[in-house]
């Protein structure tokens, strides 16, 4: 009996101590105004001193209100910079906190996951002073769907940034989906937790799920020529993901790995999307914190589908007749564009470039053309190599392309995210915009919000896409699962040219069903969607899926995740004008039936629902039509590695 009493007393005492600590913590926060909340109160960011004293190391703590339950998303985000000349913002003193500023924006995007963009956030600027009395501002914004923070130095001077101390401490019980660092950002995502966590350098974006089911995605935005691109590394501590600068060997060792800054200066935004999985998928935070568009008239920026010959014939553009066949395909499928990939300057078998362009235009199709990024940063010698490399070369080439009626360029092989390479990307976008030329980056970095500033940037590769069916047998088995992870990771942060929807085989086969492949046209957002199959792959489809591919948009008004989990399956609905398009895939090796709720539809309206789904085997598609409303749901059976699409149009 005494043992029980002692146990009860100890419990009461422990709870009392905990309450006192929480109360003192709460008073400390409010007294120092070191907390920033989102306008909807769902995300709370606290600013702390590690020593709990006036001077010391500072960090952020991120909490999430998950339907009334407060959960800790990230326990500690270390802050600080180490500059040349012995300037260190490591041990600092907080000297000033600004009043909260409400950030509220509405803007329009001509392409992407949503057309009308709205964001709300609260901004607080924390001013710190180091031992040398130099000041560092840390700007913290807490939006309804995540947080963003950046460093700002307002004094004068020139420095090299020796290190950025930003790092994210992640609980070992938090599951993570991360891609091992590679300059082209074309790896596979691996899922790991606890003792399975690997220690590597990692690409952006990185996805995390806490044991309390709070999701967050780590990324960066508004990277420009005043800084380099960064990556994440947990090599020193498996649960500490530190921002790391480019490897000096990247880009054949050309360019400086450490960024050089001229003050006044602001760093890129460190962006964290936070919420449930739908919040992650629908978020436009990476664009929201990027600078507004520098292009006033965007009427010439036209998203659309593209026919592309490289997947089925790696040297297709060398062959005039192949180029003409893919122009014919674009015409037959009502796609506005065809891409002339590498080797267009070596074209033969009946015609040269000018003949091909003349034929393409005669069909009412607009050509896009490939370029090597050039320079010593790439080993690839494929021509034309240097026509994008300097301002003078770009002006000459864009002038020529404009006269030839070319609508845009694909620029390849960047191989580095060093500061001078970041500036090179932006110089291409700036010059292309002056000639109303659309741009597609290939062999490149992951999106950093540039499409908001330069909406002529239509898409990026930076993904292990269908091209990998050419590179070896591995993607045959890894592709189905990989496809279910991309909507929650890479494609969240910007357009992704996976080059999807292939029904025939390339050099190595795929195991995905026709329904799975068809669904990728909806699941994978890319303003220029390069449909990669050979002409007969599309011509031999039944009428219903063929009609679907003629009409499926490549830019969207709204995006909603209906259900899914990375690595298992995903179902997404995207809206364009009056119609909804749904794509769903199964990444697993077992059949399953998914119940799709239609409660996102307008109430008191009836709709025509057309579902195109797996049939009895992988190469069979069947179509069902019905009338539905917002209170209805539909069961869809998916084959192993299968999929489906649906179109919902108002009656």
């Amino acid at each position: 009996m005494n043992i029980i009493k002692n146990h009860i007393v100890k419990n009461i005492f422990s709870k009392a101590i905990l309450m006192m600590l929480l109360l003192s913590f709460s008073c400390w926060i409010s007294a120092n105004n070191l907390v920033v909340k989102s306008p909807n109160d769902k995300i709370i960011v606290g600013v702390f001193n590690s020593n709990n004293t006036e001077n010391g190391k500072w960090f952020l703590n991120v909490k999430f209100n998950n339907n009334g339950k407060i959960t800790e998303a990230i326990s500690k985000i270390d802050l600080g910079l180490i500059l040349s000349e012995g300037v260190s913002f490591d041990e600092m003193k907080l000297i000033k906190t600004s009043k909260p500023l409400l950030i509220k924006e509405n803007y329009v995007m001509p392409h992407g996951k949503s057309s009308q963009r709205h964001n709300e956030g609260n901004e607080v600027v924390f001013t710190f002073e180091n031992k040398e009395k130099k000041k560092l501002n840390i700007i913290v914004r807490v939006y309804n769907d995540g947080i963003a923070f950046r460093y700002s130095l307002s004094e004068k001077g020139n420095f090299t940034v020796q290190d950025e101390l930003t790092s994210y401490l992640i609980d070992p019980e938090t599951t993570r989906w991360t891609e091992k660092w590679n300059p082209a950002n074309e790896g596979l995502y691996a899922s790991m937790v606890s003792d399975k966590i690997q220690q590597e350098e990692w690409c952006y974006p990185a996805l995390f799920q806490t044991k309390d089911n709070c999701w967050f995605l780590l990324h960066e935005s508004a990277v420009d020529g005043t800084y380099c691109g960064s990556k994440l590394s947990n090599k020193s501590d498996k649960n500490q993901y530190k921002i790391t600068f480019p490897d000096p060997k990247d880009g054949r060792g050309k360019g400086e790995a450490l960024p050089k800054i001229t003050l006044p200066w602001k760093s890129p935004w460190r962006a964290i999307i936070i919420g449930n999985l739908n919040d992650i998928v629908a978020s436009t935070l990476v664009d929201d914190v990027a600078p507004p568009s520098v292009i006033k008239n965007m009427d010439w920026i036209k998203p659309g589908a593209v026919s592309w010959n490289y997947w089925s014939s790696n040297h297709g553009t060398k062959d005039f007749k192949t180029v003409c066949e893919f122009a014919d395909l674009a015409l037959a499928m009502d796609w506005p564009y065809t891409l002339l990939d590498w080797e267009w300057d070596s074209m033969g078998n009946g015609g040269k470039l000018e003949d091909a362009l003349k034929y393409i235009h005669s069909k009412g199709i607009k050509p896009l053309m490939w370029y090597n990024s050039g320079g010593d940063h790439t080993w690839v010698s494929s021509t034309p190599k240097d026509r994008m490399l300097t301002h003078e070369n770009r002006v000459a080439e864009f002038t020529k392309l404009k006269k030839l009626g070319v609508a845009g360029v694909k620029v390849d092989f960047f191989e580095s995210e060093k500061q001078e390479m970041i500036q090179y990307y932006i110089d291409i976008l700036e010059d292309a915009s002056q000639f109303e030329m659309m741009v597609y980056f290939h062999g490149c970095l992951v999106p950093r919000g540039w499409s908001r500033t330069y909406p002529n940037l239509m898409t990026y590769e930076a993904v292990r896409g269908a091209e990998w069916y050419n590179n070896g047998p591995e993607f045959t088995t890894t592709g189905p699962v990989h496809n279910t992870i991309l909507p929650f990771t890479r494609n969240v942060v910007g357009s992704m040219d996976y080059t999807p929807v292939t029904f025939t085989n390339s050099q190595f086969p795929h195991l995905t069903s026709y329904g799975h492949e068809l669904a990728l046209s909806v699941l994978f957002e890319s303003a220029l969607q390069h449909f990669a199959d050979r002409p007969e792959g599309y011509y031999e489809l039944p009428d219903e899926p063929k009609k679907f591919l003629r009409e499926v948009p490549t830019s969207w008004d709204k995006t909603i995740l209906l259900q899914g989990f990375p690595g298992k399956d995903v179902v997404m609905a995207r809206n364009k004008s009056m119609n909804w398009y749904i794509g769903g895939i199964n990444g697993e090796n077992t059949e399953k039936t998914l119940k799709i709720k239609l409660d996102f539809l307008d109430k008191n309206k009836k709709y025509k629902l057309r579902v195109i789904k797996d049939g009895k085997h992988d190469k069979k598609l069947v179509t069902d039509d019905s009338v539905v409303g917002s209170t209805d749901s539909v069961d869809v059976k998916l084959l192993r590695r299968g999929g489906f699409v649906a179109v919902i149009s108002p009656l």
Side-chain angles (χ1 to χ4, degrees):
M1 191 69 175
N2 287 333
I3 294 173
I4 296 172
K5 284 183 178 179
N6 289 338
H7 181 70
I8 293 171
V9 168
K10 283 181 180 178
N11 269 347
I12 293 170
F13 181 73
S14 298
K15 288 180 180 179
I17 292 293
L18 180 61
M19 289 301 294
M20 287 170 65
L21 287 172
L22 289 172
L23 184 60
S24 63
F25 166 80
S26 175
C27 293
W28 186 82
I29 283 280
S30 58
N32 290 276
N33 193 29
L34 300 183
V35 64
V36 191
K37 291 185 178 182
S38 59
N40 64 5
D41 289 333
K42 284 197 167 185
I43 302 172
I44 308 107
V45 176
V47 183
F48 293 91
N49 183 309
S50 293
N51 303 332
N52 203 25
T53 58
E54 188 178 48
N55 287 285
K57 301 177 188 296
W58 292 82
F59 68 92
L60 304 179
N61 171 273
V62 183
K63 289 185 169 60
F64 177 62
N65 184 342
N66 191 0
N67 295 319
K69 181 181 179 182
I70 304 297
T71 182
E72 188 168 67
I74 307 176
S75 61
K76 190 178 183 187
I77 305 174
D78 288 333
L79 303 169
L81 296 170
I82 306 295
L83 308 183
S84 59
E85 317 301 328
V87 177
S88 172
F89 293 99
D90 182 9
E91 299 276 340
M92 299 183 292
K93 174 183 178 181
L94 178 65
I95 61 172
K96 188 170 65 174
T97 303
S98 75
K99 292 181 179 179
L101 172 68
L102 177 64
I103 306 293
K104 195 170 185 178
E105 277 192 304
N106 298 297
Y107 63 98
V108 177
M109 284 288 287
H111 50 75
K113 67 175 77 173
S114 56
S115 54
Q116 301 289 331
R117 304 289 180 89
H118 314 281
N119 65 75
E120 278 190 73
N122 288 317
E123 176 184 289
V124 175
V125 180
F126 300 92
T127 302
F128 295 89
E129 187 177 76
N130 67 4
K131 295 174 184 177
E132 295 81 29
K133 303 298 182 183
K134 292 185 178 294
K135 294 178 177 59
L136 172 70
N137 292 324
I138 299 180
I139 305 166
V140 178
R141 288 186 181 179
V142 185
Y143 288 87
N144 287 334
D145 59 348
I147 76 169
F149 63 96
R150 74 193 314 184
Y151 302 102
S152 173
L153 293 164
S154 56
E155 299 173 9
K156 293 184 179 180
N158 296 292
F159 297 92
T160 298
V161 181
Q162 304 285 1
D163 195 11
E164 181 176 330
L165 303 181
T166 309
S167 64
Y168 306 89
L169 181 62
I170 309 297
D171 187 284
E173 297 306 311
T174 292
T175 306
R176 56 214 68 190
W177 288 261
T178 47
E179 175 191 340
K180 185 178 177 181
W181 164 253
N182 63 98
N185 296 279
E186 292 183 42
L188 294 169
Y189 275 85
S191 171
M192 59 194 80
V193 67
S194 192
D195 59 344
K196 304 295 185 184
I197 297 168
Q198 301 169 23
Q199 293 181 256
E200 291 283 358
E201 291 184 335
W202 305 101
C203 297
Y204 285 120
L207 178 67
F208 299 82
Q209 180 197 19
T210 72
K211 58 187 176 183
D212 295 322
N213 204 35
C214 170
W215 294 81
F216 59 94
L217 191 79
L218 300 183
H219 197 45
E220 64 180 5
S221 181
V223 182
D224 60 24
T226 66
Y227 212 61
C228 60
S230 72
K231 55 184 181 286
L232 298 168
S233 175
N234 69 338
K235 281 189 170 183
S236 297
D237 179 339
K238 71 176 185 178
N239 291 306
Q240 190 91 23
Y241 289 78
K242 184 183 180 303
I243 282 184
T244 310
F245 294 149
D247 189 318
K249 295 178 182 178
D250 290 348
R252 293 185 62 201
K254 305 300 178 181
E256 297 293 327
L258 299 179
K260 298 182 184 300
I261 62 174
T262 298
L263 277 51
W265 165 87
K266 290 180 180 177
S267 76
W269 289 102
R270 307 300 169 209
I272 311 170
I273 301 170
I274 304 171
N276 58 38
L277 266 183
N278 182 54
D279 296 326
I280 302 292
V281 167
S283 175
T284 57
L285 181 64
V286 173
D287 288 339
D288 294 343
V289 296
S293 174
V294 298
I295 301 173
K296 302 306 178 187
N297 176 22
M298 294 187 274
D299 293 345
W300 55 276
I301 299 171
K302 301 289 187 184
V306 189
S307 66
W308 183 54
N309 64 46
Y310 176 86
W311 186 82
S312 56
S313 176
N314 293 171
H315 301 280
T317 307
K318 286 183 73 170
D319 190 309
F320 171 74
K321 291 181 180 177
T322 299
V323 171
C324 292
E325 288 172 3
F326 277 81
D328 293 340
L329 171 64
L331 176 64
M333 296 299 292
D334 293 331
W335 299 338
Y337 302 107
T338 191
L339 174 67
L340 304 184
D341 215 295
W342 73 320
E343 299 180 320
W344 53 259
D345 54 345
S346 303
M347 196 181 302
N349 193 25
K352 299 292 185 182
L353 174 65
E354 290 75 12
D355 305 305
L357 292 175
K358 183 177 179 181
Y359 184 86
I360 292 166
H361 285 302
S362 74
K363 301 296 181 180
I365 305 301
K366 297 175 184 177
L368 309 170
M369 287 173 55
W370 178 94
Y371 285 84
N372 189 334
S373 65
D376 292 336
H377 60 266
T378 175
W379 288 101
V380 181
S381 59
S382 303
T383 59
K385 182 165 183 180
D386 299 325
R387 300 187 195 180
M388 293 290 126
L389 196 57
T390 68
H391 171 70
E392 291 75 20
N393 288 354
R394 289 189 294 272
V395 167
E397 195 67 13
F398 289 147
T399 300
K400 185 192 306 180
L401 293 179
K402 199 72 177 172
K403 291 179 180 177
L404 292 172
V406 175
V409 293
K410 171 183 177 179
V411 189
D412 206 347
F413 303 122
F414 289 90
E415 302 181 25
S416 165
E417 297 185 11
K418 295 175 183 175
Q419 185 173 8
E420 66 176 30
M421 190 59 66
I422 297 295
Q423 187 60 54
Y424 180 32
Y425 279 111
I426 292 171
D427 289 344
I428 292 172
L429 293 172
E430 180 66 41
D431 288 343
S433 71
Q434 301 305 311
F435 288 85
E436 297 190 345
M437 193 73 56
M438 295 185 293
V439 177
Y440 161 27
F441 288 137
H442 197 81
C444 62
L445 83 180
V446 169
R448 299 305 209 278
W450 294 347
S451 285
R452 181 183 178 188
T453 312
Y454 295 96
N456 59 319
L457 175 53
M458 307 300 286
T459 193
Y460 313 64
E461 187 192 24
V463 65
R464 181 167 293 203
E467 186 177 291
W468 278 76
Y469 288 116
N470 284 313
N471 297 344
E474 162 266 312
F475 202 55
T476 296
T477 53
T478 59
V481 168
H482 180 62
N483 293 347
T484 68
I485 297 173
L486 294 175
F488 303 107
T489 52
R490 163 63 182 86
N491 211 185
V492 170
V493 301
S495 278
M496 177 184 78
D497 194 50
Y498 177 101
T499 60
V501 190
T502 54
F503 302 104
T504 67
N505 286 325
S506 182
Q507 295 178 38
F508 297 91
H510 48 61
L511 301 178
T512 51
S513 76
Y514 276 25
H516 184 118
E517 289 295 317
L518 193 63
L520 301 184
S521 64
V522 177
L523 286 176
F524 294 165
E525 179 270 311
S526 180
L528 292 176
Q529 187 75 283
H530 290 74
F531 289 122
D533 209 346
R534 47 181 57 83
E536 54 266 34
Y538 301 112
Y539 293 152
E540 293 173 4
L541 289 172
D543 288 344
E544 292 83 0
K546 194 184 302 180
K547 181 177 185 293
F548 178 87
L549 287 175
R550 285 195 182 105
E551 297 176 354
V552 63
T554 67
S555 63
W556 305 97
D557 294 331
K558 190 175 183 180
T559 293
I560 301 174
L561 174 69
L562 298 184
Q563 61 187 78
F565 192 90
K568 294 184 178 181
D569 52 58
V570 56
V571 182
M572 193 178 293
R574 298 191 192 265
N575 168 249
K576 186 70 173 181
S577 188
M578 301 292 289
N579 295 336
W580 284 91
Y581 297 79
I582 301 177
I585 59 172
N586 178 12
E588 297 185 296
N589 201 29
T590 56
E591 293 185 358
K592 59 181 68 172
T593 299
L594 301 180
K595 181 179 287 292
I596 314 301
K597 294 182 179 180
L598 303 178
D599 52 4
F600 58 90
L601 297 174
D602 288 344
K603 293 178 174 58
N604 303 318
K605 284 189 178 181
K606 290 295 182 182
Y607 296 83
K608 176 187 175 183
L609 169 68
R610 167 163 288 183
V611 179
I612 306 172
K613 59 185 179 181
D614 293 326
K616 292 183 178 179
H617 56 77
D618 287 353
K619 300 184 189 312
K620 179 74 173 176
L621 291 168
V622 296
T623 302
D624 289 336
D625 290 336
S626 58
V627 175
V628 297
S630 63
T631 59
D632 292 320
S633 61
V634 58
D635 292 337
V636 183
K637 182 180 178 181
L638 304 183
L639 296 177
R640 55 184 184 169
R641 306 177 300 277
F644 77 99
V645 295
V647 183
I648 305 175
S649 50
L651 290 175

